[in-house]
Amino acid sequence: MPDAYVLLFVIALICAIATYIVPAGEFKRITNGTITQAVPGSYHTVAHTPIGFVHFFTAFQQGMVASASIIFLILFTGGTLAILEKTGAINGLIHNVVNKFRTRELLFIAVVGALFSILGTTGIVVNSVIGFIPIGIIVARALKWDAVVGVAVIYLGTYAGFNSTILSPTPLGLSQKIAELPLFSGIGLRTAIYLAFLIATVVYIYFYVRRLRKTDASILGEDWFPSKALLDEEEKTDVPFTIRHKLILALTGLCLVGFLAGALWLKWGDQEMAGTFVFISIVAGLIGGMKGNNIARTFLSGCQRLVYGALIVGMARTISVVLTDGKLLDTIVNGLASMLEGHSPLLGAFGMFVSSALLHFVISSGSGESVIFIPILAPLADLMNITRQVAVEAVMLGEGVVNCINPTSGVLMGVLAASGIPYGKWVKFMAPLALIWFVIGLVFITVGVMTKWGPF
């Protein structure tokens, strides 16, 4: 597999070339409060705005600027982990985790996965899951798992919830508002979908761990931890776990809980989490007896280790910049919507599901996809005798089943770069679970169509 940067560059280049070939077009848009949405039936061709040589290369900088909040979140995550490692608190935590969970793997996977799935399905932790990935890697080392398991418990736990969202303001709340549905209506069937996604994810990870124990056959081959950013490979004995270490970890835990509370009630996001990491770094360093200059140098050293993962988020965003500036995004949406007309309700709902999945490779933002796609699908659903609730869920599940294999997802690429897992290896691990999620989605969309899941 080519490097992730090479892969994304090639995709962006193909999209840029397409702006010379594929007809450009736009929907008319109206503003409803703070939401700008496309007007169904208003698609029209416009003059080509091909991406030129200079425009193509400046699009990378535009993608970086547009992704700045996530980029700095990743960098500050690396800085904070470096401070926590330097104080010795992480080493002490590792050995305590080993003692408590060495023989209770299923319990650990189920409890931690369920916790993060709740944070994901409520929209509290989505992009900011990147900040928790190093903790998963550290625990995986301690329990003799590979990096894939460490990432999967945290990242897939979160996205098992987010991909089957129950109470997330975006994209679910936004999509229902655009479709003129009551906010968070249909929660009964959505809860069943969420539980199915979570159980499938926990069981899948657990069976991979069992195979790892029996055969030592990791997806990653011989190199179980491609990233050497966290801890030495050597097994350490007699590691102290002092009151100072516990204070540092207690501070870190309280700050993370405080962020989660702020995300829930004050609508905090990426910027506030990055600020939380800066605060943790300073105070934890002082508690650990570090001098100011040492804190600064250690923090910057930690940031440097995650530059690869930080900048790849902007690379992924570049593709959307190219398609938007080349006026191809609406052309793609219109083409997908046109393919759905004239089919039976069940086939139409399946088509919405698959179309949403395909579109998500182009528009990696769930809210961005909703703003463009839902105004087209809602009236189309009325004509095809599909409830709008089913249409919204088809879009949610469509983007959900590809979220964790989507190479244009800044979050996924950030997670993989932070952990050192190659994209190709991750897809090999993730593809069977994505297929399981896809089948679950088909089953519940069928249930929704057959029961005329509403209220309308």
Side-chain angles (χ1 to χ4, degrees):
M1 285 291 294
D3 184 87
Y5 278 88
V6 176
L7 179 64
L8 292 175
F9 179 86
V10 170
I11 294 173
L13 181 60
I14 292 171
C15 292
I17 294 172
T19 63
Y20 288 87
I21 303 169
V22 179
E26 290 181 331
F27 288 102
K28 291 181 180 178
R29 284 175 166 76
I30 58 173
T31 301
N32 182 10
T34 59
I35 300 171
T36 301
Q37 59 192 73
V39 177
S42 68
Y43 176 82
H44 58 283
T45 58
V46 297
H48 271 94
T49 56
I51 302 298
F53 182 83
V54 174
H55 192 173
F56 174 71
F57 285 98
T58 58
F60 294 97
Q61 192 260 0
Q62 294 178 48
M64 297 292 175
V65 171
S67 305
S69 62
I70 299 180
I71 288 174
F72 282 101
L73 171 62
I74 296 171
L75 293 177
F76 291 177
T77 297
T80 302
L81 263 294
I83 296 288
L84 294 178
E85 291 170 30
K86 188 80 171 181
T87 63
I90 292 293
N91 279 343
L93 174 64
I94 286 174
H95 284 74
N96 271 266
V97 170
V98 168
N99 292 335
K100 291 181 180 179
F101 290 105
R102 189 183 292 274
T103 60
R104 293 183 287 177
E105 293 175 334
L106 180 59
L107 177 63
F108 177 82
I109 295 169
V111 170
V112 176
L115 172 62
F116 275 91
S117 75
I118 292 171
L119 299 175
T121 201
T122 54
I124 296 173
V125 171
V126 185
N127 292 344
S128 51
V129 70
I130 297 169
F132 296 92
I133 294 302
I135 299 173
I137 298 294
I138 290 168
V139 173
R141 285 179 182 272
L143 296 179
K144 308 303 180 185
W145 298 336
D146 63 7
V148 167
V149 182
V151 169
V153 173
I154 304 294
Y155 174 58
L156 294 186
T158 300
Y159 271 74
F162 181 70
N163 295 341
S164 54
T165 179
I166 298 174
L167 295 171
S168 174
T170 58
L172 176 59
L174 174 63
S175 298
Q176 288 185 319
K177 183 176 181 180
I178 295 172
E180 300 177 345
L181 287 163
L183 187 63
F184 302 135
S185 57
I187 194 170
L189 188 59
R190 280 198 177 85
T191 301
I193 298 171
Y194 159 71
L195 290 174
F197 268 63
L198 175 59
I199 292 171
T201 303
V202 168
V203 171
Y204 183 80
I205 296 172
Y206 177 64
F207 275 102
Y208 177 78
V209 169
R210 285 187 61 185
R211 191 186 78 181
L212 206 61
R213 289 287 189 215
K214 290 180 180 179
T215 65
D216 285 339
S218 169
I219 289 286
L220 299 174
E222 297 297 322
D223 191 3
W224 283 29
F225 292 92
S227 174
K228 301 299 186 286
L230 306 168
L231 303 180
D232 296 330
E233 293 289 340
E234 303 170 359
E235 185 72 23
K236 297 181 175 65
T237 58
D238 193 25
V239 175
F241 193 44
T242 65
I243 293 178
R244 180 176 288 187
H245 293 156
K246 293 176 182 177
L247 283 175
I248 290 171
L249 294 174
L251 165 76
T252 304
L254 285 173
C255 288
L256 292 177
V257 170
F259 165 77
L260 296 178
L264 181 61
W265 288 295
L266 302 178
K267 309 304 179 187
W268 285 3
D270 304 336
Q271 295 181 15
E272 286 79 10
M273 188 169 197
T276 300
F277 281 137
V278 173
F279 176 79
I280 291 172
S281 298
I282 295 171
V283 180
L286 293 175
I287 294 174
M290 298 172 65
K291 302 294 184 182
N293 286 350
N294 194 9
I295 292 174
R297 284 194 296 268
T298 304
F299 185 85
L300 291 174
S301 175
C303 290
Q304 290 171 4
R305 295 186 305 203
L306 293 188
V307 167
Y308 183 100
L311 296 186
I312 206 166
V313 176
M315 281 290 290
R317 186 65 176 268
T318 299
I319 295 168
S320 292
V321 171
V322 170
L323 290 174
T324 300
D325 291 353
K327 299 191 183 300
L328 291 191
L329 213 51
D330 287 3
T331 298
I332 294 170
V333 172
N334 184 64
L336 291 174
S338 299
M339 292 170 57
L340 299 176
E341 294 187 68
H343 293 292
S344 68
L346 189 58
L347 285 178
F350 287 170
M352 293 177 182
F353 178 42
V354 174
S355 296
S356 175
L358 294 174
L359 186 61
H360 204 56
F361 285 102
V362 177
I363 310 173
S364 59
S365 164
S367 56
E369 182 172 339
S370 295
V371 166
I372 293 175
F373 212 26
I374 294 295
I376 311 302
L377 293 188
L380 184 62
D382 296 340
L383 295 174
M384 298 180 68
N385 199 28
I386 301 170
T387 65
R388 292 191 174 194
Q389 194 75 267
V390 170
V392 166
E393 190 63 14
V395 173
M396 297 299 99
L397 292 175
E399 63 185 46
V401 297
V402 301
N403 253 332
C404 298
I405 58 172
N406 184 4
T408 63
S409 167
V411 176
L412 171 60
M413 287 303 177
V415 165
L416 296 185
S419 60
I421 299 173
Y423 175 72
K425 299 285 188 181
W426 174 258
V427 171
K428 184 178 179 181
F429 168 78
M430 183 62 212
L433 180 57
L435 180 61
I436 294 170
W437 284 351
F438 182 81
V439 172
I440 292 173
L442 288 178
V443 169
F444 280 101
I445 287 172
T446 301
V447 171
V449 172
M450 296 303 181
T451 59
K452 296 191 178 297
W453 182 34
F456 53 85

